[in-house]
Amino acid sequence: MRSDRRPFLLIPAFIALCSLVIGTIGGGRVTAATNPEDSISASMKAFTRVYDVVEQNFADPVKADKAIYKGAIPGMLRELDPHSNFFDPKDYRALREEQVGHYAGVGMTVQSHTGKTVVLAPFVGSPAYKAGLRPGDVILEVNDKKTENLNTTEVADLLKGPKGTKVQIKVAREGSDQPVIFNIIRDVIPRYSVPDSFWLKPGIAYIKIDQFNENTSKEMEEKLKRLGEKNIQGLVLDLRDNPGGLLNEGVDVAGHFLRRNEVVVSHRGRAANSNKTYTARNDNGGKTYPIVVVVNRYTASAAEIVSGALQDHDRGWILGETTFGKGLVQTVYPLGENTALALTTAHYYTPSGRLIQRDYSNISFLDYYSHTNLDQKNTQDVKMTDSGRTVYGGGGITPDEKYVSSKLDGLEISLNRDGLFSFTRAYFASHPSTLPKGWMPSDATIAELHDYLISKKVKFNDAQFTKDHDWIRRYLTKEMYTYAFNVDESDRVFAQTDPEVTAAVNAMPKAVALVDNAHRALVQRMDPRKAGH
């Protein structure tokens, strides 16, 4: 049960995901020093004294898990770097769910809306989907427990449970006078990390990777096989908003497009066992179709490893914004009582040797995560791609071609936050809940939205509405497809009408030239006499 919506303001969700997705899962052990420094011993004694004073004298009873798990340990780790993190039992369970790619529940996303928890979308084929839950349903009760005063995470936890167990959900539905009750049997719900793959046009395929869990490379290969990879003449690989995940999966995804034994990434740290180089493990079968990789400022970690490897080997043309710059390796050390420590143990380097990690030494964590400085790079960390193109380290992956989406204006922000979602609920309360294949909003539907916004006292003028017409049409289509079809069809039509995806298709000739130049450079290295032939 996911309780987060693909955010319109990404910073809070991105911080959470960076805490939950780990570059390397290690079997590390925490060992005590045999001869602790006097300063460490004194500090531990001081901490114990402080905790004793707090525990005995604070105005309210002190919960140890809150003081230690939520206070002392995270406070210590924040002094180290932005990504070292402590997982209490609840967070550790969430981490494992993200990594293994499945959980047991009913299968839908929920979100907070005007103080209530509403269904955003049931997953295709899930128990919630088969039972008939719809986007916009307000969850009133779960197994007779009222959801009033519960946040979305607490409601999501009520909906989860072992496979085969029963759960009763009571919802309020727009257009229905009485609550609607659903009796559902929980099942294992897959968390697909590669949700979209389809043809944008003949020969040009599109694949979206949301994050890197234990199934990502397998999912991608299955999607490519289903499309018919031999027929691909160009690929748009969408890594926007991808916060990363498991290192090995990132290596395997990049390796799918590289030659056997080509370097994907390396990491180096203080400990001898933290130095390692990862290479493509399988032969790519001679696949040399051009690739345009779409990234933005929230493309991070394993997604940057993939982007950096394809760029350094001149295998992919990078389009978008400079990526996040998260190149710190976290090794997970399981501790007692179902807790764990994710500790930074090394730095990632691309095949050319450039550092991925962005400097965080002189800024606040809020500024670090908001990532407004997209031009940061270390001019002392200059490297070359396989064909001799200049690339810089120390600031994420700089795109070969910049594409910056225009900022949302006031009306677009209001519609994205709530307006389109609320209108869609109201629309289908008085219209048939199905739409014909290929449907797009008509002028009459857009006019109906205009009048609805006025009735809800949304502040805008006709000039703004006219200026935003194309944006409104596209985002309303996404919202209404989610309700009338499913979230998969919604994501598909949204990608097909995405201006940045269109820009990626138009950039495909540049990716072709990149592959050709890389091939010539390889031939020259193998036999200098053939240079220029």
Side-chain angles (χ1 to χ4, degrees):
M1 177 58 51
R2 294 179 58 188
S3 60
D4 60 310
R5 188 179 186 183
R6 177 63 61 182
F8 118 80
L9 290 176
L10 284 166
I11 295 172
F14 186 78
I15 292 174
L17 282 168
C18 274
S19 298
L20 289 177
V21 287
I22 308 298
T24 301
I25 292 294
R29 297 174 299 178
V30 177
T31 57
T34 55
N35 294 302
E37 297 287 342
D38 290 342
S39 60
I40 296 177
S41 178
S43 297
M44 291 300 296
K45 290 179 180 178
F47 170 77
T48 302
R49 288 196 298 270
V50 169
Y51 182 78
D52 284 344
V53 171
V54 171
E55 196 276 331
Q56 294 174 27
N57 298 286
F58 188 65
D60 298 313
V62 175
K63 295 181 179 180
D65 60 345
K66 182 177 181 180
I68 303 299
Y69 291 170
K70 300 294 185 182
I73 296 176
M76 173 186 68
L77 296 176
R78 278 195 296 270
E79 292 298 314
L80 301 179
D81 68 86
H83 298 290
S84 290
N85 197 17
F86 175 77
F87 299 104
D88 64 19
K90 185 176 182 179
D91 290 338
Y92 195 30
R93 285 195 301 272
L95 168 66
R96 289 304 301 149
E97 281 184 5
E98 291 285 343
Q99 291 174 337
V100 300
H102 62 79
Y103 67 96
V106 299
M108 61 186 180
T109 53
V110 297
Q111 71 169 11
S112 178
H113 177 73
T114 62
K116 300 175 182 178
T117 299
V118 303
V119 176
L120 178 60
F123 302 144
V124 178
S126 69
Y129 183 85
K130 294 175 180 177
L133 280 149
R134 297 177 183 172
D137 285 345
V138 178
I139 300 176
L140 304 176
E141 296 180 10
V142 179
N143 284 339
D144 297 324
K145 182 177 179 63
K146 296 185 183 301
T147 61
E148 190 176 3
N149 299 322
L150 298 181
N151 60 39
T152 54
T153 300
E154 292 168 329
V155 174
D157 287 342
L158 291 176
L159 293 167
K160 289 179 181 177
K163 175 183 178 181
T165 58
K166 297 179 180 179
V167 59
Q168 185 180 88
I169 306 171
K170 180 185 290 187
V171 305
R173 176 170 290 174
E174 190 93 9
S176 178
D177 295 334
Q178 299 295 322
V180 183
I181 297 176
F182 297 91
N183 293 293
I184 300 176
I185 305 297
R186 296 183 179 99
D187 202 351
V188 174
I189 308 299
R191 290 177 179 265
Y192 294 113
S193 58
V194 189
D196 295 323
S197 66
F198 47 83
W199 296 102
L200 291 167
K201 56 188 295 188
I204 306 298
Y206 171 90
I207 283 188
K208 168 76 172 175
I209 301 180
D210 280 340
Q211 65 182 68
F212 291 86
N213 64 28
E214 292 179 3
N215 305 311
T216 301
S217 59
K218 180 181 178 182
E219 286 181 33
M220 185 189 75
E221 289 173 2
E222 288 175 348
K223 292 290 178 70
L224 288 170
K225 182 178 180 180
R226 192 175 305 161
L227 285 173
E229 190 171 11
K230 66 180 182 299
N231 298 317
I232 293 179
Q233 300 169 19
L235 173 67
V236 175
L237 178 60
D238 193 345
L239 299 180
R240 287 174 295 178
D241 304 330
N242 185 320
L246 298 178
L247 168 62
N248 288 335
E249 290 299 307
V251 170
D252 286 345
V253 165
H256 181 88
F257 306 107
L258 300 174
R259 294 186 299 272
R260 185 194 299 272
N261 296 327
E262 281 191 308
V263 173
V264 175
V265 69
S266 61
H267 57 66
R268 301 194 291 273
R270 189 171 57 145
N273 62 0
S274 63
N275 300 324
K276 187 174 180 179
T277 297
Y278 297 83
T279 60
R281 292 184 284 188
N282 299 308
D283 185 76
N284 69 359
K287 294 185 289 289
T288 58
Y289 53 76
I291 303 170
V292 176
V293 184
V294 187
V295 299
N296 65 6
R297 70 187 67 192
Y298 298 110
T299 301
S301 190
E304 292 178 288
I305 288 171
V306 173
S307 305
L310 298 184
Q311 186 178 54
D312 279 5
H313 290 302
D314 298 299
R315 186 66 185 87
W317 181 261
I318 312 299
L319 173 77
E321 299 176 310
T322 300
T323 62
F324 185 79
K326 195 278 187 183
L328 300 178
V329 182
Q330 276 76 58
T331 301
V332 174
Y333 295 87
L335 308 175
E337 300 177 348
N338 295 315
T339 62
L341 172 66
L343 184 67
T344 296
T345 55
H347 292 80
Y348 285 124
Y349 295 85
T350 69
S352 66
R354 54 183 165 140
L355 177 67
I356 292 175
Q357 180 60 42
R358 183 159 45 95
D359 183 25
Y360 54 84
S361 58
N362 296 311
I363 60 175
S364 69
F365 279 8
L366 178 59
D367 289 337
Y368 173 76
Y369 277 107
S370 62
H371 192 201
T372 56
N373 180 10
L374 298 184
D375 296 321
Q376 182 176 345
K377 60 185 177 185
N378 183 356
T379 55
Q380 304 301 311
D381 186 1
V382 184
K383 299 295 187 296
M384 296 290 180
T385 69
D386 287 358
S387 65
R389 296 185 301 139
T390 301
V391 287
Y392 295 91
I397 305 301
T398 303
D400 299 305
E401 181 180 348
K402 285 189 177 181
Y403 185 100
V404 180
S405 300
S406 58
K407 292 184 178 180
L408 301 185
D409 61 30
L411 176 58
E412 290 168 339
I413 289 173
S414 178
L415 291 175
N416 202 31
R417 181 186 293 126
D418 174 66
L420 295 178
F421 182 76
S422 295
F423 170 74
T424 298
R425 288 179 61 206
Y427 178 90
F428 284 113
S430 58
H431 293 75
S433 59
T434 58
L435 296 172
K437 195 73 173 178
W439 177 91
M440 294 293 285
S442 64
D443 290 341
T445 306
I446 300 294
E448 197 169 338
L449 169 64
H450 177 277
D451 294 344
Y452 174 85
L453 297 176
I454 292 176
S455 72
K456 295 299 180 181
K457 296 181 170 52
V458 177
K459 294 182 179 180
F460 70 98
N461 56 48
D462 286 344
Q464 284 179 297
F465 195 84
T466 300
K467 180 179 75 69
D468 294 339
H469 182 274
D470 290 344
W471 184 96
I472 291 170
R473 180 180 170 89
R474 178 170 178 251
Y475 277 75
L476 179 60
T477 302
K478 174 181 173 62
E479 209 63 72
M480 298 187 82
Y481 264 60
T482 299
Y483 191 100
F485 297 107
N486 53 62
V487 70
D488 291 350
E489 288 296 321
S490 172
D491 288 344
R492 181 187 298 256
V493 72
F494 195 66
Q496 289 172 331
T497 57
D498 187 343
E500 190 163 1
V501 172
T502 300
V505 174
N506 293 336
M508 203 60 68
K510 298 174 183 177
V512 172
L514 198 68
V515 172
D516 290 344
N517 290 337
H519 177 70
R520 283 194 292 269
L522 176 63
V523 170
Q524 182 177 359
R525 285 196 300 272
M526 295 175 63
D527 186 353
R529 295 172 298 176
K530 295 183 179 180
H533 290 199

